[in-house]
Every structure is written in structure tokens, then in C-alpha cells.
Amino acid sequence: MIRVFIVDDHPVVIEGIHALLQNEKDIEWAGHAMNAASCLGFFLNNTADVLLMDISMPGMDGIELCAIMKQKYPGIFILGLSTFNQGLYIKKMMENGASGYILKNSSKEELLKAIHAVDKGDIFFSGEVSQALQEYQKSSMIQLPMLSPREKEILGLIAEGYTNPQIAEKIFLSSFTVDSHRKNLLAKLNVKNTASLIRLAVERKLI
Amino acid sequence: MIRVFIVDDHPVVIEGIHALLQNEKDIEWAGHAMNAASCLGFFLNNTADVLLMDISMPGMDGIELCAIMKQKYPGIFILGLSTFNQGLYIKKMMENGASGYILKNSSKEELLKAIHAVDKGDIFFSGEVSQALQEYQKSSMIQLPMLSPREKEILGLIAEGYTNPQIAEKIFLSSFTVDSHRKNLLAKLNVKNTASLIRLAVERKLI
DNA sequence: TAAACCCTCACCCGAAACAGTGATTGTTGC
DNA sequence: GCAACAATCACTGTTTCGGGTGAGGGTTTA
């Protein structure tokens, strides 16, 4: 018996999902909440196996609630729920411990498949969602100017917090040379200071 | 009929998987390769639906091969394959476009479940792997000192490349004040310059 | 043999960052 | 009411960064 709880601020969605699951013999309706606070309240005295969670809610959003719930109750598996099929949201939910993600207009079969997979501790995304996720990965990896090996090396050292003179000493170069590479990095990546440089480098996984 | 191809440098693994899949009626053995190069060679004149890929291989590793294959043949779904159950590897494979990840000592049932899910375009991890992934997420999120709202705001602006005077003008503060906050950020997060600060902030998702 | 890079080094200079110190105001919580 | 802290502002240094400019030697490629 899988106890399913749902958090969503749209009554229609709650009712809809409830109706879909009503006749499932191995699924028990644990209840629902319409915001983060009352969800947290429910779990003070109750529990569930699978938590369907809307991503966008008034007050605290699903992303944040997901992190809190997972931290408090690691044994509860969370299934993200959204009308939007946006890679960024999916990724953030996963980073906060969700076990899957489905669209609100999913078919009953997809919903059940996801609930069962998640309840077993598996991680599951339907093809539709997985496509969005992979497209997001791809889009966030658009072409960057090529960096020479030396530049990559120095970029790494900058990111580790070394100053030009320190880098120079470390790899036996003149501090002027290191400075040249540094300026080339700024120019090539089209950023204007160290902060933007490092942010870009980390986000685009250059280091 | 799902055509399955495998890349792994261990003959034992290839044979083992081959044996497991031999009697499956809906699975066709497309072939195998023992390194990245011959895998790429195979797909010049052939194709497959699902590609089982070892993560650690001599020469080019699975992580890199995964990215190349996905870029050349986006329609082929890749299932990571490893003896190690390490979150970092799993995450990297996913970032490079894999659709799932299983352990080499998985049961036949798990293997088949994964292949079928992946072939449909779904993303799937078994419970065992998913646990490793979630523990990895958690471990990379250890306690950080609390930042005040103002500090977070200024941290964000620094990451966007604004200088102290620019930030001061933007949020109507003295440039001295911004500088104070900046110094507090360095002290609280125990880093010594902007580069380390931004790196930490991006990696730990403070911004 | 050019052109196009990469890597190296050099100098000037203004702007920004970083270190240290100290101060006032206001809020929160015990 | 006092301690703790967030938020604000101020001044003085020293160090680092970043813009500009240029130069010489190396390799690869057209």
C-alpha cells in the first residue's frame, strides 16, 4: 500500500489527481495541503510514502519545500509536479532531493508508473520530461571560445584563489605572463572582471 | 525490437551482459566495442537503440564518449554502466546526456527494466543508484555560515560582475558599506578573494 | 613564406579589492 | 537592560586587478 500525499495550491489539480488514484487498490490517499506550511504541519503527526509536490506555490515554493522535507524526512520520496516542462525547474528539484518529476497533464499510466518507481526508491522521468531536461543541458552548453591549455591551467588556479604573483611562482612564470593570460581569458570569454570570469567558468564547467 | 550495443573494456562484462540478454525476445544484440574509438567506428556504418557504456575505460572515458555520442546521434539512448556507485560519476554522465545508470552487478530484472525505460526515452535509475546520487547531493551541501539578506544580495551583484561603486549606486548605499559587506562575506565564508568567493557561491548554489 | 596562434615577458597607470580599525543606529532575544 | 548582531558609514593604507601597448620566439597551417 503506497500512501500518497499531495501539495498543490490548485484545488482542481488535487481533485483531479485524487480522482485518478481513487480506484487504485495499492494506493492510499494520505491527504493534501495547499501550501508549504500546512504540508509541514501535516507531517508533524502523520506520514506518507510518496509526496506529490507542485513546483510553483505561493509563499515557499516547491524547490525549497522539497529540500526541507527531504532533510527532515529522508525516507519520503518526492515526485515533482508542474504544468511547465522546464529543464531548470526539473534540475533544481533533483538537486534538492526529488526522485522524479511529472507533468500535470500526464496520463494515468504515466502517473502510476512514476509513483510506483519512486516508491521503490528508483528515480524516474517520463520521456517527455526527460527530453526537456536533456534539451536544457544542451542549451546551457552552447559554444564557448576555445581556451588554450595554458589558459585553462591559469583559470583553474585563479579559481582556487591564487593571485597573479602566486600563480607565477607556482608554475615558474613571470607575473607579467600570468597577467597576460588572465587578460586574454577576460577578453576571450567576454567578461570584465574576476567575479564574472569565475562564475562563467564554474557554471559552464570549465574548471 | 530494441537493438543494444555495449562499450566496455572488460570482456567478462560484455559476455555477462550478452548472456543475460540472449534469450530476451525483444532485444537484439547489436554488437560491442572495447574502447571509445571502436565504438565511434561502429556507429559510422551501423546504429542501435540503447548504448550500454562503461564509465571508466582506457583512453577516452565514458563521460566524454557519452557527450560525443549524444551530440552526433541524439536519438541513441545511453545507459551508464559501472562497478562504482559514485554520485559524482552518475551526475557527470547525466550532464553529458545519459538516460540512466546501472551497476554491473545489477540483477537481470533491473537491467531489463532500465533498458526498456531508457529505450522509451524515459530516464531511470535503480533505487541503489538513486540513493548514491542523493547522498552525493547531500554531502556536497554541508553547512555553510548563514548569510544575511543584504549579504546575499550583494553576493549576487558581485557575481554579476558589478564593482563596489556600481553596487553602491545600484542599491543606494555608500561604497564603504558595500565594501564592509564584501569583507564580511570573505570572512564568513572563509575565503580570501573574489575568485574563491564566487567559486564557492556558484558551486554551493548560494546565488 | 606568410598568417595565425600560443606562450612568454615588460611597463605604465588608474581603478578596484583587501586589511585594519572604529563608530552609530536599530532590532532581536534572553 | 544588555548582549548579539545586522546594517550603515568612514578613513588609511597596501596589494591586486585590469586596460593599453608592445615585443620576441615558437608552432601550425594554408
Side-chain angles (χ1 to χ4, degrees):
Chain A
M1 201 58 135
I2 308 175
R3 286 162 301 171
V4 174
F5 187 87
I6 180 169
V7 207
D8 197 308
D9 59 318
H10 303 90
V12 188
V13 176
I14 298 180
E15 283 311 314
I17 305 262
H18 192 175
L20 278 180
L21 300 180
Q22 204 154 28
N23 293 323
E24 291 303 312
K25 280 204 282 289
D26 59 343
I27 289 182
E28 183 181 322
W29 188 256
H32 71 270
M34 295 186 60
N35 55 60
S38 66
C39 172
L40 288 167
F42 174 87
F43 280 93
L44 286 177
N45 300 309
N46 305 273
T47 186
D49 299 307
V50 173
L51 174 53
L52 302 182
M53 184 180 289
D54 190 13
I55 277 196
S56 49
M57 285 185 295
M60 186 191 301
D61 68 1
I63 317 273
E64 201 177 339
L65 178 59
C66 184
I68 296 174
M69 286 297 298
K70 259 296 173 185
Q71 200 227 315
K72 288 193 171 183
Y73 316 103
I76 299 177
F77 296 112
I78 295 173
L79 193 53
L81 198 61
S82 172
T83 46
F84 313 112
N85 190 10
Q86 281 188 249
L88 179 58
Y89 291 152
I90 306 172
K91 200 178 172 199
K92 281 194 176 169
M93 283 293 276
M94 294 313 293
E95 277 164 357
N96 284 359
S99 294
Y101 186 100
I102 52 170
L103 298 182
K104 287 184 181 176
N105 61 0
S106 299
S107 67
K108 183 176 175 179
E109 286 68 37
E110 279 184 326
L111 177 62
L112 289 174
K113 192 158 68 170
I115 290 177
H116 284 119
V118 163
D119 178 60
K120 281 204 288 279
D122 296 345
I123 285 179
F124 182 85
F125 302 98
S126 71
E128 202 176 357
V129 171
S130 111
Q131 198 176 347
L133 185 59
Q134 301 202 347
E135 265 163 26
Y136 172 73
Q137 305 278 24
K138 198 160 54 181
S139 75
S140 65
M141 281 298 163
I142 356 175
Q143 289 300 357
L144 281 183
M146 283 299 292
L147 299 185
S148 71
R150 207 44 151 180
E151 284 165 349
K152 282 184 196 162
E153 181 182 14
I154 286 172
L155 176 55
L157 292 168
I158 295 172
E160 284 177 37
Y162 296 107
T163 66
N164 287 345
Q166 287 170 336
I167 295 173
E169 188 191 7
K170 212 171 177 62
I171 58 180
F172 309 109
L173 281 183
S174 156
S175 151
F176 292 116
T177 307
V178 177
D179 196 44
S180 292
H181 287 305
R182 190 178 195 129
K183 285 169 187 166
N184 286 337
L185 282 165
L186 294 179
K188 276 193 180 179
L189 297 174
N190 195 33
V191 290
K192 47 191 237 309
N193 58 27
T194 301
S196 325
L197 174 69
I198 297 303
R199 183 186 183 180
L200 179 68
V202 176
E203 285 181 344
R204 304 291 277 278
K205 308 195 191 306
L206 298 176
I207 46 179
Chain B
M1 201 58 136
I2 308 175
R3 286 162 301 171
V4 175
F5 186 87
I6 182 170
V7 207
D8 197 309
D9 59 319
H10 303 89
V12 187
V13 176
I14 298 180
E15 283 311 315
I17 305 262
H18 193 176
L20 278 181
L21 300 180
Q22 205 155 28
N23 294 323
E24 291 303 312
K25 280 205 282 291
D26 59 344
I27 290 183
E28 183 182 321
W29 187 256
H32 72 269
M34 295 187 60
N35 56 60
S38 67
C39 172
L40 288 167
F42 174 86
F43 280 93
L44 287 177
N45 300 309
N46 304 273
T47 186
D49 299 307
V50 173
L51 173 53
L52 302 182
M53 184 181 289
D54 190 12
I55 276 197
S56 49
M57 286 186 295
M60 186 191 303
D61 69 0
I63 317 271
E64 201 178 339
L65 178 58
C66 184
I68 295 173
M69 287 297 297
K70 259 295 171 184
Q71 199 226 317
K72 288 192 171 187
Y73 317 103
I76 300 176
F77 296 112
I78 296 174
L79 192 54
L81 198 60
S82 173
T83 45
F84 312 112
N85 191 9
Q86 281 188 247
L88 179 58
Y89 292 152
I90 307 173
K91 200 179 172 199
K92 281 193 176 170
M93 283 293 275
M94 293 314 291
E95 277 163 358
N96 285 357
S99 294
Y101 186 101
I102 52 169
L103 298 182
K104 288 184 181 176
N105 61 359
S106 299
S107 67
K108 182 176 177 180
E109 287 67 38
E110 277 184 327
L111 177 62
L112 288 174
K113 192 158 70 168
I115 290 178
H116 284 118
V118 163
D119 178 61
K120 281 205 289 280
D122 297 346
I123 285 179
F124 182 86
F125 302 97
S126 70
E128 202 175 357
V129 171
S130 112
Q131 197 176 347
L133 185 59
Q134 300 202 348
E135 264 163 28
Y136 172 72
Q137 306 278 23
K138 198 159 57 183
S139 75
S140 64
M141 281 298 165
I142 357 173
Q143 289 299 16
L144 282 182
M146 282 298 294
L147 299 185
S148 71
R150 206 45 150 180
E151 284 165 349
K152 282 183 196 162
E153 182 183 12
I154 286 172
L155 176 55
L157 292 168
I158 295 173
E160 284 178 37
Y162 295 106
T163 66
N164 287 345
Q166 287 170 338
I167 294 173
E169 189 190 8
K170 212 172 178 62
I171 58 180
F172 309 110
L173 282 182
S174 155
S175 150
F176 293 116
T177 307
V178 177
D179 196 45
S180 292
H181 288 303
R182 189 176 196 130
K183 286 169 192 163
N184 287 335
L185 282 166
L186 294 179
K188 275 194 180 180
L189 297 175
N190 194 32
V191 290
K192 48 191 236 308
N193 57 26
T194 301
S196 324
L197 174 68
I198 297 303
R199 184 187 183 178
L200 179 68
V202 177
E203 284 181 345
R204 304 293 276 278
K205 308 195 193 304
L206 297 176
I207 47 178

